[in-house]
Amino acid sequence: MTDEKIQRLINQEIARQRDGLTLIPSENYASLEVLRAMGTPLSNKYSEGYPGRRYYGGNEIIDEIESLAIERAKRLFGAEHANVQPHSGSQANAAVYLALLKPGDKVLGFDLRSGGHLTHGSPVNFSGQIYSFVYYGVDVKTELIDLAGVAKIARKEKPRLIIVSTTSYSRRLDFEGFAKIAKEVGAYLLGDIAHIAGLVVAGEHPSPFPHCDVVTATTHKTLRGPRGGLLLCKKELAEIIDKAVFPGTQGGPLDNIVAAKAICFAEAMKPEFKAYQHQVILNARAMAKEFIEQGIKIVSGGTDNHLMVLDLTFLGLEARKVQNELEELGIYVNRNAIPGDQRPPFNPSGLRLGSPAITTRGLKEKEARIVAGLVAKFLKNPADKKIKNEIKKAVSRLVKEFSIYEDFKY
Ligand code: DSN
């Protein structure tokens, strides 16, 4: 029996992804091989523990799969130890905190409005409720991380852990500079590279190794694998990190996802993947150039990575409304806070967008500029029906020319 309701909805969602332009910088299109691995009977297995040390029988093959994923992750990132079990980036961060901190310990994290993540100490998140977070942000004028400012806070606060990360920061992270500060104040350094993992392994962004003690990542953003988390660390932390994942914060791993992670790591070792990441950067730059030429303000004035945040305060537009209206035109972006945002998180002043998904579709700089031009056109003429129709038609043309998941049906 087929569940027709769910089948119809899945096919509608596949069509939405196929027929629209995804500019949400944390979303991507995984390969069919990655997707296939996720839909296998591996999902039926329980395998609490680690390869060779499981609590349930029947794990001989799962052990081989997880060992392969671990070896590939270590090789790909040049890491001494890898744990491929975290269900998500948030879970990976939770495990790091459990391993390295006690409740109430002080942590220096990146402010959410400047580009940090919920799990880096937001008061509405477990991290902000259990640990004592203090924050660094970006310089008000340059909108860049000011390392001297970070060092000043670190010296005053003496945190046990410092987090260097980005979810909406469009510039390079100086892992080496942060490591110097962490060393000086005796703190651990966590690099959360969820967004930039693909850029890092392709050499398009400096590596967090050997500077960070622990690195967390997700496998589905620029890395373009299955939805999931990943934890990498120095050898001496391996035991406490593994214990903090299982049994500390999770039960059994998702073995189908672990297999898909192994496939994604192998894909990321290929020359095509390196070329893809290079194009991601070129496309993001081309988009930023177009926005700037159209007079649209980008936080920090541009991008060095795969994303950028448009500052809508100058246009007098509400980001939530813009996000919803662009969605009607087949363009997917997400509203985002900007540094020092005076508006609430549910309706902030910025629009975050980027190039990973359109680059997977095959768009190059010329088309990336066209896409940014469509967004800019809308931002300048939000009430013009004729222009909206033109944008809709242009989106239709682009998604047909650069097709994805063409014959994919559930
Ligand atoms: N939701 C992710 C993002 O979009 O960046 C962060 O967890």
Side-chain angles (χ1 to χ4, degrees):
M1 191 199 96
T2 309
D3 184 332
E4 284 172 13
K5 275 190 186 158
I6 286 294
Q7 183 188 33
R8 195 180 63 244
L9 289 167
I10 290 177
N11 281 328
Q12 277 174 9
E13 172 57 18
I14 296 169
R16 186 198 65 78
Q17 292 187 19
R18 188 182 54 220
D19 299 339
L21 287 175
T22 293
L23 300 182
I24 295 169
S26 47
E27 295 183 5
N28 212 330
Y29 300 99
S31 71
L32 295 184
E33 200 180 342
V34 163
L35 295 179
R36 250 201 323 272
M38 287 195 268
T40 58
L42 265 68
S43 166
N44 300 334
K45 190 70 196 100
Y46 257 126
S47 29
E48 277 90 337
Y50 289 101
R53 295 175 285 137
R54 304 284 187 185
Y55 287 77
Y56 291 61
N59 270 304
E60 227 171 287
I61 299 156
I62 297 299
D63 276 4
E64 278 194 53
I65 293 170
E66 188 170 331
S67 298
L68 251 181
I70 291 169
E71 280 318 307
R72 287 179 185 177
K74 282 164 62 178
R75 193 146 40 99
L76 185 63
F77 287 91
E80 292 176 6
H81 181 73
N83 187 311
V84 296
Q85 294 192 4
H87 301 328
S88 68
S90 296
Q91 292 282 121
N93 285 339
V96 172
Y97 303 157
L98 184 72
L100 304 182
L101 305 172
K102 292 202 170 42
D105 271 356
K106 199 169 270 183
V107 185
L108 177 54
F110 193 25
D111 169 41
L112 187 64
R113 286 173 310 174
S114 298
H117 187 250
L118 268 181
T119 56
H120 302 159
S122 164
V124 295
N125 184 262
F126 80 93
S127 54
Q129 291 168 18
I130 296 178
Y131 306 102
S132 173
F133 268 81
V134 286
Y135 312 93
Y136 62 93
V138 290
D139 180 88
V140 248
K141 277 210 186 92
T142 61
E143 296 176 322
L144 300 172
I145 294 172
D146 160 30
L147 263 191
V150 177
K152 217 165 137 191
I153 304 173
R155 282 183 202 122
K156 178 170 169 257
E157 300 287 351
K158 304 232 172 338
R160 184 162 168 77
L161 174 72
I162 298 177
I163 305 173
V164 51
S165 67
T166 173
T167 60
S168 59
Y169 186 66
S170 63
R171 300 300 186 170
R172 287 180 170 212
L173 298 173
D174 181 356
F175 294 115
E176 195 177 352
F178 270 91
K180 279 190 193 135
I181 298 170
K183 196 167 173 210
E184 185 193 322
V185 301
Y188 286 111
L189 184 63
L190 161 64
D192 181 340
I193 60 164
H195 262 264
I196 54 171
L199 301 176
V200 165
V201 300
E204 295 289 339
H205 187 289
S207 171
F209 291 112
H211 311 295
C212 295
D213 300 292
V214 194
V215 171
T216 54
T218 53
T219 49
H220 52 277
K221 295 186 175 96
T222 48
L223 205 50
R224 210 167 57 178
R227 190 71 171 260
L230 173 67
L231 231 163
L232 306 154
C233 65
K234 294 185 172 164
K235 230 194 236 149
E236 59 264 32
L237 294 175
E239 199 179 327
I240 56 167
I241 284 290
D242 282 353
K243 266 195 192 147
V245 174
F246 171 82
T249 49
Q250 289 189 177
L254 307 172
D255 298 311
N256 54 331
I257 304 297
V258 169
K261 285 175 185 171
I263 295 168
C264 138
F265 300 148
E267 287 178 354
M269 288 177 202
K270 293 185 179 159
E272 302 90 277
F273 189 79
K274 220 171 148 60
Y276 160 66
Q277 297 295 341
H278 186 59
Q279 193 63 49
V280 164
I281 297 269
L282 295 179
N283 285 356
R285 248 186 238 158
M287 291 167 84
K289 195 159 187 265
E290 182 67 26
F291 284 124
I292 291 164
E293 282 176 19
Q294 298 256 4
I296 290 166
K297 185 176 180 289
I298 300 178
V299 172
S300 87
T303 180
D304 299 327
N305 60 23
H306 61 301
L307 65 80
M308 66 214 75
V309 178
L310 309 183
D311 180 344
L312 302 184
T313 50
F314 297 88
L315 294 161
L317 297 172
E318 273 192 17
R320 184 170 51 164
K321 201 156 175 250
V322 169
Q323 177 191 308
N324 292 342
E325 293 199 6
L326 280 173
E327 182 167 332
E328 281 169 27
L329 308 180
I331 298 177
Y332 301 100
V333 295
N334 73 275
R335 60 190 189 270
N336 208 94
I338 56 170
D341 209 330
Q342 298 301 312
R343 299 180 63 90
F346 198 65
N347 193 10
S349 310
L351 210 59
R352 187 183 68 153
L353 45 86
S355 60
I358 57 166
T359 308
T360 296
R361 296 187 83 120
L363 280 76
K364 297 271 195 311
E365 293 99 302
K366 181 175 145 235
E367 297 85 18
R369 273 191 84 130
I370 293 174
V371 170
L374 295 176
V375 175
K377 208 169 185 179
F378 170 77
L379 294 176
K380 289 172 163 184
N381 308 278
D384 190 322
K385 282 200 179 124
K386 192 165 156 260
I387 285 181
K388 282 194 203 169
N389 264 335
E390 280 169 27
I391 296 172
K392 223 172 174 172
K393 278 188 194 143
V395 170
S396 266
R397 277 196 301 273
L398 278 167
V399 296
K400 279 196 188 88
E401 190 180 345
F402 297 92
S403 59
I404 191 103
Y405 294 163
E406 218 170 343
D407 305 313
F408 198 119
K409 261 209 154 42
Y410 177 74

